[in-house]
Amino acid sequence: MTASVPLAAVIGDPIGHSKSPMLHGFWLRAYQISGYYVPLHVTSGDLEQVLAAMPRMGFVGANVTIPHKETVLDLADIVTDRARAIGAANTLTFHKDGKIEADNTDGYGFLANIQQNAPAFDAKDGPAVILGAGGAAKAVIYALLEAGTPQVRVLNRNLDRAKNLSARFGDRVSVHEVSDLPNLLGDCKLLVNSTSLGMIGQPSLAADLSNLPKTAIVNDIVYTPLETDLLKQARAMGAVAVDGLGMLLHQAAPGFAKWFGKEPAVTDDLRRAVLAK
Protein backbone atom coordinates (compact mmCIF):
# COMPACT_ATOMS: atom_id res chain seq x y z
CA MET A 1 0.00 0.00 0.00
CA THR A 2 1.45 3.35 -1.09
CA ALA A 3 2.01 5.90 1.67
CA SER A 4 0.42 9.33 1.39
CA VAL A 5 3.92 10.83 1.30
CA PRO A 6 5.79 9.24 -1.62
CA LEU A 7 9.29 7.92 -1.01
CA ALA A 8 12.06 7.33 -3.52
CA ALA A 9 15.67 6.27 -3.17
CA VAL A 10 18.97 5.59 -4.83
CA ILE A 11 20.33 2.09 -4.28
CA GLY A 12 23.99 1.16 -4.56
CA ASP A 13 27.10 -0.22 -2.93
CA PRO A 14 28.77 2.14 -2.09
CA ILE A 15 26.27 4.99 -2.11
CA GLY A 16 27.78 7.89 -0.12
CA HIS A 17 29.18 9.54 -3.25
CA SER A 18 25.81 9.79 -5.03
CA LYS A 19 24.58 13.24 -6.04
CA SER A 20 21.04 11.93 -6.60
CA PRO A 21 19.70 12.88 -3.13
CA MET A 22 20.85 16.46 -3.65
CA LEU A 23 19.38 16.51 -7.16
CA HIS A 24 15.96 15.12 -6.32
CA GLY A 25 15.87 17.03 -3.04
CA PHE A 26 16.32 20.28 -4.97
CA TRP A 27 13.32 19.48 -7.15
CA LEU A 28 11.17 18.41 -4.20
CA ARG A 29 11.84 21.73 -2.50
CA ALA A 30 11.51 23.78 -5.70
CA TYR A 31 8.07 22.32 -6.49
CA GLN A 32 6.97 22.14 -2.85
CA ILE A 33 6.24 18.43 -3.12
CA SER A 34 5.67 16.41 0.04
CA GLY A 35 8.03 13.54 -0.58
CA TYR A 36 11.45 12.22 0.32
CA TYR A 37 14.41 10.84 -1.61
CA VAL A 38 17.04 8.93 0.36
CA PRO A 39 20.29 7.03 -0.27
CA LEU A 40 20.18 3.32 0.56
CA HIS A 41 23.34 1.25 0.92
CA VAL A 42 22.27 -2.18 -0.33
CA THR A 43 24.64 -5.09 -0.90
CA SER A 44 24.17 -7.60 -3.70
CA GLY A 45 23.13 -10.27 -1.22
CA ASP A 46 20.31 -8.10 0.14
CA LEU A 47 19.09 -6.57 -3.12
CA GLU A 48 16.22 -8.95 -3.90
CA GLN A 49 14.75 -8.76 -0.40
CA VAL A 50 15.10 -4.97 -0.26
CA LEU A 51 13.34 -4.47 -3.60
CA ALA A 52 10.51 -6.78 -2.58
CA ALA A 53 9.97 -4.80 0.64
CA MET A 54 10.22 -1.26 -0.75
CA PRO A 55 6.72 -1.00 -2.28
CA ARG A 56 5.18 -2.12 1.03
CA MET A 57 7.21 0.59 2.80
CA GLY A 58 5.73 3.37 0.69
CA PHE A 59 8.44 3.66 -1.95
CA VAL A 60 7.20 4.62 -5.41
CA GLY A 61 10.54 4.26 -7.16
CA ALA A 62 14.30 4.10 -7.00
CA ASN A 63 17.40 4.89 -8.95
CA VAL A 64 19.95 2.11 -9.24
CA THR A 65 23.70 2.50 -9.45
CA ILE A 66 26.81 0.29 -9.28
CA PRO A 67 26.83 -2.70 -8.92
CA HIS A 68 23.11 -3.41 -9.34
CA LYS A 69 22.22 -1.94 -12.76
CA GLU A 70 22.35 -5.28 -14.57
CA THR A 71 21.07 -7.48 -11.74
CA VAL A 72 17.80 -5.58 -11.36
CA LEU A 73 16.71 -6.65 -14.85
CA ASP A 74 16.33 -10.20 -13.56
CA LEU A 75 14.39 -9.01 -10.50
CA ALA A 76 11.94 -6.73 -12.33
CA ASP A 77 8.48 -7.79 -13.47
CA ILE A 78 8.47 -5.32 -16.37
CA VAL A 79 11.54 -4.30 -18.40
CA THR A 80 11.29 -1.48 -20.94
CA ASP A 81 12.59 -2.00 -24.46
CA ARG A 82 15.46 0.41 -23.94
CA ALA A 83 16.56 -1.16 -20.67
CA ARG A 84 16.55 -4.57 -22.34
CA ALA A 85 18.47 -3.28 -25.36
CA ILE A 86 21.10 -1.59 -23.19
CA GLY A 87 21.28 -4.53 -20.79
CA ALA A 88 21.00 -2.43 -17.64
CA ALA A 89 18.51 -0.32 -15.69
CA ASN A 90 18.99 2.83 -13.65
CA THR A 91 15.37 3.66 -12.84
CA LEU A 92 12.79 1.49 -11.07
CA THR A 93 9.11 2.27 -10.63
CA PHE A 94 7.01 0.39 -8.08
CA HIS A 95 3.48 -0.02 -9.35
CA LYS A 96 0.45 -0.09 -7.05
CA ASP A 97 0.01 -3.82 -7.68
CA GLY A 98 3.54 -4.40 -6.36
CA LYS A 99 5.15 -5.03 -9.73
CA ILE A 100 8.58 -3.54 -10.39
CA GLU A 101 9.28 -1.78 -13.71
CA ALA A 102 12.90 -1.37 -14.80
CA ASP A 103 13.92 1.37 -17.21
CA ASN A 104 17.13 2.97 -18.43
CA THR A 105 17.14 6.75 -18.75
CA ASP A 106 20.90 7.22 -19.21
CA GLY A 107 20.58 7.49 -23.00
CA TYR A 108 17.73 9.95 -22.64
CA GLY A 109 19.85 12.01 -20.24
CA PHE A 110 22.81 11.94 -22.60
CA LEU A 111 20.81 13.17 -25.59
CA ALA A 112 18.87 15.79 -23.61
CA ASN A 113 22.17 17.19 -22.32
CA ILE A 114 23.55 17.52 -25.86
CA GLN A 115 20.36 19.12 -27.15
CA GLN A 116 20.18 21.60 -24.27
CA ASN A 117 23.78 22.75 -24.69
CA ALA A 118 24.05 22.45 -28.49
CA PRO A 119 20.52 23.19 -29.80
CA ALA A 120 21.60 22.91 -33.44
CA PHE A 121 22.61 19.26 -32.98
CA ASP A 122 20.75 16.77 -35.16
CA ALA A 123 21.76 13.14 -34.74
CA LYS A 124 20.83 12.46 -38.37
CA ASP A 125 23.49 14.88 -39.68
CA GLY A 126 26.43 12.46 -39.60
CA PRO A 127 28.59 9.92 -37.80
CA ALA A 128 29.35 9.84 -34.09
CA VAL A 129 32.58 8.56 -32.54
CA ILE A 130 32.40 6.94 -29.10
CA LEU A 131 35.44 6.31 -26.92
CA GLY A 132 34.83 3.29 -24.68
CA ALA A 133 32.59 0.23 -24.74
CA GLY A 134 31.21 -0.03 -21.20
CA GLY A 135 27.75 0.45 -19.76
CA ALA A 136 27.65 4.19 -20.48
CA ALA A 137 28.63 3.55 -24.10
CA LYS A 138 25.67 1.17 -24.51
CA ALA A 139 23.24 3.84 -23.35
CA VAL A 140 24.82 6.49 -25.59
CA ILE A 141 24.81 4.22 -28.64
CA TYR A 142 21.20 3.20 -28.10
CA ALA A 143 20.09 6.84 -27.83
CA LEU A 144 22.01 7.92 -30.92
CA LEU A 145 20.70 5.06 -33.05
CA GLU A 146 17.13 5.75 -31.92
CA ALA A 147 17.65 9.43 -32.85
CA GLY A 148 18.80 8.48 -36.34
CA THR A 149 22.60 8.67 -36.27
CA PRO A 150 23.70 6.97 -39.53
CA GLN A 151 26.90 5.47 -38.12
CA VAL A 152 28.39 5.07 -34.65
CA ARG A 153 32.12 4.34 -34.52
CA VAL A 154 33.26 2.71 -31.29
CA LEU A 155 36.90 2.81 -30.22
CA ASN A 156 38.10 0.65 -27.35
CA ARG A 157 41.32 -0.94 -26.13
CA ASN A 158 39.53 -4.29 -25.83
CA LEU A 159 38.22 -4.96 -29.33
CA ASP A 160 36.26 -8.05 -28.32
CA ARG A 161 34.23 -5.97 -25.87
CA ALA A 162 33.57 -3.40 -28.57
CA LYS A 163 32.56 -6.10 -31.05
CA ASN A 164 29.90 -7.22 -28.60
CA LEU A 165 28.34 -3.77 -28.98
CA SER A 166 28.29 -4.13 -32.75
CA ALA A 167 26.62 -7.51 -32.38
CA ARG A 168 24.09 -6.03 -29.93
CA PHE A 169 23.14 -2.93 -31.91
CA GLY A 170 23.63 -3.90 -35.55
CA ASP A 171 25.58 -2.83 -38.62
CA ARG A 172 25.32 0.91 -37.99
CA VAL A 173 27.88 0.35 -35.22
CA SER A 174 31.47 -0.21 -36.31
CA VAL A 175 34.44 -1.14 -34.13
CA HIS A 176 37.94 0.35 -34.32
CA GLU A 177 41.32 0.44 -32.62
CA VAL A 178 41.96 3.47 -30.40
CA SER A 179 44.87 4.38 -32.67
CA ASP A 180 42.38 4.85 -35.55
CA LEU A 181 40.86 7.95 -33.91
CA PRO A 182 42.46 10.63 -36.15
CA ASN A 183 41.28 8.81 -39.28
CA LEU A 184 37.68 8.62 -38.05
CA LEU A 185 37.14 12.27 -37.14
CA GLY A 186 37.09 13.96 -40.57
CA ASP A 187 33.31 13.78 -41.02
CA CYS A 188 32.46 13.35 -37.33
CA LYS A 189 29.51 15.37 -35.99
CA LEU A 190 29.79 14.21 -32.39
CA LEU A 191 32.68 12.85 -30.31
CA VAL A 192 31.87 11.29 -26.93
CA ASN A 193 34.19 10.07 -24.20
CA SER A 194 32.23 7.40 -22.33
CA THR A 195 35.23 6.17 -20.33
CA SER A 196 36.46 7.25 -16.90
CA LEU A 197 39.72 8.56 -18.39
CA GLY A 198 40.18 12.19 -17.44
CA MET A 199 38.22 11.82 -14.21
CA ILE A 200 39.86 12.95 -10.98
CA GLY A 201 42.07 10.08 -9.83
CA GLN A 202 42.18 8.48 -13.30
CA PRO A 203 44.78 8.81 -16.08
CA SER A 204 44.27 11.67 -18.51
CA LEU A 205 42.65 11.01 -21.87
CA ALA A 206 45.16 11.57 -24.66
CA ALA A 207 43.31 12.15 -27.92
CA ASP A 208 44.52 13.54 -31.25
CA LEU A 209 41.71 15.85 -32.35
CA SER A 210 43.62 17.50 -35.19
CA ASN A 211 41.18 16.17 -37.83
CA LEU A 212 38.05 17.08 -35.89
CA PRO A 213 35.84 19.61 -37.75
CA LYS A 214 35.25 22.86 -35.87
CA THR A 215 31.53 22.28 -36.39
CA ALA A 216 31.66 19.08 -34.33
CA ILE A 217 30.38 18.67 -30.78
CA VAL A 218 32.58 17.08 -28.12
CA ASN A 219 30.99 15.59 -25.02
CA ASP A 220 32.69 14.07 -22.00
CA ILE A 221 30.44 12.09 -19.66
CA VAL A 222 32.98 12.74 -16.89
CA TYR A 223 31.93 15.65 -14.65
CA THR A 224 34.67 15.55 -12.00
CA PRO A 225 36.35 17.74 -13.10
CA LEU A 226 33.63 19.58 -14.96
CA GLU A 227 36.10 20.86 -17.55
CA THR A 228 38.20 17.88 -18.58
CA ASP A 229 41.34 18.08 -20.71
CA LEU A 230 39.34 16.71 -23.65
CA LEU A 231 36.81 19.53 -23.39
CA LYS A 232 39.56 22.14 -23.02
CA GLN A 233 41.22 20.80 -26.15
CA ALA A 234 37.95 20.85 -28.08
CA ARG A 235 37.14 24.40 -26.97
CA ALA A 236 40.60 25.59 -27.98
CA MET A 237 39.96 24.23 -31.48
CA GLY A 238 36.66 26.07 -31.74
CA ALA A 239 34.43 23.02 -31.35
CA VAL A 240 31.35 23.00 -29.11
CA ALA A 241 32.21 21.36 -25.77
CA VAL A 242 29.50 19.84 -23.58
CA ASP A 243 30.32 18.64 -20.06
CA GLY A 244 28.90 15.49 -18.47
CA LEU A 245 26.96 16.96 -15.55
CA GLY A 246 23.88 17.58 -17.68
CA MET A 247 23.58 13.87 -18.45
CA LEU A 248 23.34 13.14 -14.73
CA LEU A 249 20.70 15.85 -14.28
CA HIS A 250 18.57 14.94 -17.28
CA GLN A 251 18.61 11.19 -16.67
CA ALA A 252 16.93 11.85 -13.31
CA ALA A 253 13.99 13.76 -14.78
CA PRO A 254 11.85 10.86 -16.15
CA GLY A 255 11.97 9.01 -12.82
CA PHE A 256 11.08 12.12 -10.82
CA ALA A 257 8.13 12.81 -13.14
CA LYS A 258 6.81 9.26 -12.71
CA TRP A 259 7.27 9.10 -8.96
CA PHE A 260 6.25 12.58 -7.90
CA GLY A 261 3.90 13.65 -10.73
CA LYS A 262 5.84 16.72 -11.86
CA GLU A 263 8.01 17.21 -14.96
CA PRO A 264 11.15 18.85 -13.50
CA ALA A 265 13.32 21.40 -15.28
CA VAL A 266 17.10 21.18 -15.58
CA THR A 267 18.24 24.72 -14.78
CA ASP A 268 21.40 26.62 -13.92
CA ASP A 269 20.21 26.80 -10.31
CA LEU A 270 19.99 23.01 -10.23
CA ARG A 271 23.51 22.68 -11.66
CA ARG A 272 24.88 25.04 -9.02
CA ALA A 273 23.11 23.19 -6.21
CA VAL A 274 24.44 19.80 -7.29
CA LEU A 275 27.97 21.12 -7.80
CA ALA A 276 27.91 22.71 -4.34
CA LYS A 277 27.49 19.34 -2.63
Side-chain angles (χ1 to χ4, degrees):
M1 182 176 178
T2 303
S4 58
V5 177
L7 308 176
V10 57
I11 298 170
D13 179 17
I15 201 60
H17 66 286
S18 177
K19 292 184 179 292
S20 292
M22 171 68 74
L23 166 52
H24 286 271
F26 178 92
W27 281 332
L28 288 169
R29 291 188 298 274
Y31 300 118
Q32 298 182 328
I33 294 172
S34 295
Y36 296 93
Y37 186 101
V38 296
L40 296 178
H41 180 202
V42 179
T43 65
S44 296
D46 292 334
L47 181 63
E48 184 172 1
Q49 286 182 306
V50 169
L51 290 182
M54 288 178 74
R56 298 195 297 271
M57 297 168 63
F59 283 90
V60 293
N63 288 120
V64 183
T65 187
I66 294 171
H68 305 314
K69 296 178 80 168
E70 296 177 0
T71 309
V72 292
L73 293 183
D74 296 326
L75 301 176
D77 302 291
I78 304 162
V79 178
T80 64
D81 289 343
R82 59 185 176 185
R84 195 174 301 283
I86 294 166
N90 72 328
T91 304
L92 303 179
T93 299
F94 303 126
H95 293 275
K96 290 182 179 179
D97 60 4
K99 289 185 177 179
I100 301 173
E101 178 183 332
D103 192 15
N104 192 309
T105 64
D106 283 333
Y108 165 84
F110 160 78
L111 210 53
N113 182 36
I114 299 295
Q115 291 166 338
Q116 183 177 40
N117 291 281
F121 172 74
D122 187 339
K124 301 182 183 70
D125 284 347
V129 174
I130 312 296
L131 304 176
K138 292 177 188 176
V140 168
I141 292 168
Y142 177 84
L144 288 172
L145 294 178
E146 285 289 293
T149 299
Q151 186 183 37
V152 178
R153 301 160 182 169
V154 180
L155 288 75
N156 198 55
R157 291 174 182 171
N158 184 329
L159 276 187
D160 288 336
R161 189 175 187 184
K163 287 175 182 175
N164 288 337
L165 294 185
S166 182
R168 176 184 288 268
F169 292 111
D171 57 12
R172 280 195 287 161
V173 177
S174 58
V175 176
H176 308 270
E177 299 274 2
V178 174
S179 58
D180 290 338
L181 178 62
N183 302 323
L184 299 172
L185 293 179
D187 59 347
C188 171
K189 300 299 181 183
L190 174 67
L191 171 64
V192 181
N193 173 38
S194 75
T195 76
S196 61
L197 292 175
M199 184 184 295
I200 292 173
Q202 297 291 326
S204 180
L205 173 62
D208 181 357
L209 304 186
S210 56
N211 291 335
L212 184 74
K214 290 185 178 180
T215 54
I217 297 165
V218 178
N219 169 239
D220 201 328
I221 69 165
V222 169
Y223 56 85
T224 52
L226 203 58
E227 184 81 350
T228 63
D229 289 341
L230 178 67
L231 295 183
K232 289 177 184 175
Q233 190 178 350
R235 250 186 258 279
M237 295 176 59
V240 177
V242 179
D243 67 55
L245 182 61
M247 178 176 174
L248 171 73
L249 306 182
H250 282 285
Q251 63 79 31
F256 187 92
K258 266 191 172 184
W259 306 331
F260 298 111
K262 172 69 178 179
E263 293 279 351
V266 174
T267 62
D268 288 341
D269 284 344
L270 175 65
R271 281 177 62 92
R272 283 190 287 269
V274 172
L275 288 171
K277 181 184 178 184

